[in-house]
Amino acid sequence: RRRRRRRHLRHDDGGHSRHHHVNNNIGGLLSARSLPRDLNPGSSIDGEDDDDEQQDIMNDGFTFYDDEVLQIETLRATLEPRPSPFTVDNNGGIGFCSDDDRIVIHSLEYASQESAGASCGQGGIFLDEETCMPIPKYALRSGPRKTIYHDPSTVRCAIVTCGGLCPGLNDVVRQLVLSLEDYGVGEHNDSTILGIYYGLGGFLDHSMPPAHLNYLAVDGIQERGGTLLGTSRGGADIPAIADQIEKMHLDMVFVIGGNGGNRAALAIHRELRKRENPKCCVIGIPKSIDNDILLIDRCFGFETAVERAVSAIYAANVEATSARNGVGVVKLMGRQSGYIAMYASMASGEVDLCLTPEVPFEMDGALHHIEQVVHRRGHAVVVVAEGAGQDLLGNNLNNGHDVKTDASGNPILQDIGPYIRDAIKAHFKSTGSHADVKYIDPSYLIRAACTNPADKLYCQILAQGAVHAAFSGCSGVTTGLVNGHYVWVPIETVVEKPRKVDIRGRMWARLLAMTKQPAWGTTS
């Protein structure tokens, strides 16, 4: 059996390693890039056999080097190892996950760059039409470890929800509490689970003390939308939050958020690592209704959002088919990524034109397509993501210097929905005809929805993985589904840029085949 090649970064390295993205503090490395492959199989950095090191690659408390695995930081050097409480019965007789367990990130090997979807070749992450980010072959498997690095009887932890509402926030909060209690957190006076109110700013708002959470406090909250803890954007005074975390003697902080929330979690992790004897593990849980977090197959709440969006599309179709020259226009969420619009359009089977932020469409061509569909079918249904067509409204999102952002760092958009509605009306009027246009914006109905069963299960597993990551001593990581398996990945990787629909990929090709709309951006 071929031994995997590994390197260890000693904490006195001083940050002078040749590898990408070195952090000078304990733990050493955050990397989203493939690492050099200059070691022979079966040998360590000094050329000696590394059989002993393979038994528990991360137990020395330092980030490990493996040229094929996404790097994970740990605090194990400053924490005390101990057996997991689940070793009593070998985790219910099922056993544990190992630090040597690997998940293949990309399962598809393309024959050539000409193959559909081969935008990034073998082993890259699609960022946009011009950019791919190289990625190692494997990710580290999520799950319980036999050895843990926090004493459950003394653990103090905090849970915070950030950013906009999304189906599943309560599900994740509830399961975090239940999983922490499974480890024994909260059973002793020195151990507690705290809920931070109204986002990261709640760490600094002394008028709203944290809630003490247990199974009774979260009982039944998965049956309703929103978040028990409340949420907000911004408020991320990172040094002040790190100070408060130290004052509260927290051992774990769970940040439930999207790109902005995870960026804040990474910043908190890095700020704490600068300080003496860091012990607080900061773990992210990827929440984005837009499904725009890199590498992760899907974010929690996305499937529920698509389901609710399909209902809105069906309503628009009813309106359109019940009127002469009827056109239904539905605006859906999607600032920079059109996943909800694309998936809901395909799932409904009723959409004739889907406009997303990734495609710089031509208004004249879009109006001509709608006109042709109405003449052929008597009606049409249009879906537009909120971030589509911003250039038509004078909002150039490609010019980063001029883009205004909200408190979470998201671009502030012009309202494309009414613009499309009015343009359709004006176009038909200019041809001497008439269109009965109905406009639906279900955004807040979708945000406030309770999760469907698939998302409920997903939220539970993500929360369990986050708790296992914290007890394993990991920090600066997030949990997620990658290639159908649950993994831990560095937050640094997933916040590199918002994930976008690959308009040269197979899913977009399927959408074009269904809607018969012009193939903007993919044909000359």
Side-chain angles (χ1 to χ4, degrees):
R1 183 173 64 88
R2 185 177 73 88
R3 289 192 293 267
R4 291 191 182 92
R5 293 162 286 183
R6 295 188 173 83
R7 289 183 172 184
H8 293 73
L9 176 64
R10 302 304 175 190
H11 66 282
D12 60 351
D13 179 76
H16 299 298
S17 168
R18 293 180 294 111
H19 300 287
H20 193 73
H21 285 178
V22 171
N23 184 306
N24 290 342
N25 301 301
I26 300 170
L29 181 74
L30 281 168
S31 176
R33 304 295 195 267
S34 296
L35 301 176
R37 302 185 179 190
D38 55 358
L39 292 180
N40 294 323
S43 53
S44 66
I45 192 168
D46 57 5
E48 298 176 0
D49 192 83
D50 65 350
D51 284 341
D52 293 338
E53 291 180 315
Q54 289 208 20
Q55 294 178 7
D56 194 348
I57 179 174
M58 292 169 68
N59 271 354
D60 63 359
F62 306 99
T63 301
F64 63 90
Y65 280 132
D66 187 326
D67 60 358
E68 295 184 324
V69 183
L70 269 174
Q71 305 301 306
I72 297 296
E73 279 196 86
T74 80
L75 301 184
R76 294 180 179 180
T78 59
L79 300 173
E80 181 181 347
R82 68 196 69 240
S84 166
F86 308 133
T87 56
V88 173
D89 61 354
N90 193 30
N91 195 28
I94 297 171
F96 296 85
C97 297
S98 166
D99 290 332
D100 278 334
D101 290 347
R102 304 286 185 257
I103 303 299
V104 177
I105 294 175
H106 295 291
S107 59
L108 175 61
E109 292 191 6
Y110 298 102
S112 72
Q113 287 293 112
E114 301 301 317
S115 295
S119 302
C120 291
Q122 312 291 355
I125 299 178
F126 174 83
L127 298 181
D128 55 44
E129 280 293 287
E130 288 78 35
T131 313
C132 290
M133 184 172 74
I135 201 77
K137 184 176 181 180
Y138 299 104
L140 200 63
R141 186 185 183 193
S142 171
R145 273 27 181 193
K146 185 177 292 187
T147 300
I148 63 173
Y149 291 83
H150 290 282
D151 181 355
S153 67
T154 61
V155 161
R156 293 176 56 82
C157 57
I159 301 169
V160 60
T161 53
C162 307
L165 289 182
C166 172
L169 288 167
N170 274 335
D171 297 79
V172 174
V173 170
R174 173 180 177 270
Q175 190 59 53
L176 284 172
V177 172
L178 298 183
S179 294
L180 287 164
E181 289 190 341
D182 285 344
Y183 270 95
V185 179
E187 292 182 359
H188 300 81
N189 291 335
D190 293 335
S191 178
T192 189
I193 306 169
L194 300 175
I196 306 300
Y197 283 114
Y198 301 111
L200 291 168
F203 276 105
L204 309 177
D205 185 357
H206 301 297
S207 68
M208 186 71 70
H212 287 269
L213 302 178
N214 56 29
Y215 75 96
L216 290 175
V218 298
D219 186 36
I221 66 171
Q222 79 279 10
E223 298 173 16
R224 58 182 186 266
T227 165
L228 172 73
L229 300 176
T231 187
S232 67
R233 300 187 186 279
D237 183 340
I238 301 302
I241 290 172
D243 288 342
Q244 189 63 19
I245 288 172
E246 291 186 329
K247 290 177 183 177
M248 297 169 70
H249 303 290
L250 296 179
D251 303 289
M252 303 174 185
V253 173
F254 299 96
V255 180
I256 309 169
N259 280 298
N262 273 276
R263 280 193 296 269
L266 178 61
I268 293 168
H269 158 76
R270 288 175 171 171
E271 178 65 27
L272 291 170
R273 294 301 291 271
K274 296 177 184 177
R275 306 185 178 202
E276 184 179 356
N277 196 33
K279 67 169 187 173
C280 182
C281 296
V282 182
I283 310 295
I285 298 99
K287 176 229 73 174
S288 173
I289 202 167
D290 293 348
N291 203 38
D292 63 350
I293 294 184
L294 277 180
L295 190 62
I296 306 298
D297 289 356
R298 73 176 191 273
C299 301
F300 74 79
F302 174 68
E303 288 199 352
T304 301
V306 170
E307 182 179 291
R308 295 302 181 102
V310 168
S311 297
I313 293 171
Y314 285 156
N317 186 62
V318 169
E319 291 285 351
T321 56
S322 300
R324 186 172 183 177
N325 291 345
V327 179
V329 178
V330 180
K331 187 183 79 170
L332 298 174
M333 285 86 70
R335 282 191 187 90
Q336 300 174 81
S337 305
Y339 282 98
I340 294 179
M342 179 176 69
Y343 276 79
S345 294
M346 295 177 65
S348 72
E350 298 290 356
V351 175
D352 302 291
L353 178 63
C354 176
L355 305 174
T356 70
E358 294 86 354
V359 181
F361 64 91
E362 301 166 1
M363 197 65 205
D364 289 342
L367 293 171
H368 180 67
H369 176 70
I370 294 168
E371 181 183 3
Q372 286 184 319
V373 172
V374 170
H375 287 166
R376 184 176 70 251
R377 299 178 59 199
H379 69 279
V381 176
V382 178
V383 167
V384 55
E386 62 182 324
Q390 291 298 301
D391 56 318
L392 302 175
L393 303 173
N395 193 11
N396 186 3
L397 300 184
N398 293 321
N399 186 352
H401 299 292
D402 298 331
V403 176
K404 295 180 179 179
T405 59
D406 62 19
S408 294
N410 301 308
I412 297 174
L413 306 175
Q414 301 295 318
D415 198 344
I416 187 65
Y419 178 84
I420 296 291
R421 175 198 62 198
D422 296 343
I424 295 171
K425 290 180 178 179
H427 175 76
F428 275 83
K429 185 176 181 180
S430 70
T431 64
S433 183
H434 168 76
D436 190 342
V437 184
K438 297 296 191 297
Y439 174 65
I440 299 174
D441 180 354
S443 299
Y444 288 99
L445 295 174
I446 294 173
R447 283 163 40 110
C450 182
T451 44
N452 66 14
D455 263 331
K456 286 189 179 299
L457 179 60
Y458 190 39
C459 289
Q460 292 169 11
I461 298 173
L462 290 180
Q464 291 166 355
V467 172
H468 294 319
F471 269 102
S472 76
C474 295
S475 186
V477 306
T478 192
T479 63
L481 192 69
V482 173
N483 196 15
H485 294 274
Y486 294 92
V487 301
W488 298 331
V489 295
I491 295 176
E492 182 187 46
T493 300
V494 300
V495 299
E496 183 85 12
K497 287 186 71 172
R499 179 188 182 202
K500 295 187 177 183
V501 172
D502 182 359
I503 63 172
R504 296 186 184 276
R506 285 295 300 134
M507 192 60 74
W508 188 252
R510 295 182 182 107
L511 175 102
L512 296 179
M514 294 180 68
T515 63
K516 306 297 190 295
Q517 68 189 60
W520 295 294
T522 59
T523 58
S524 56

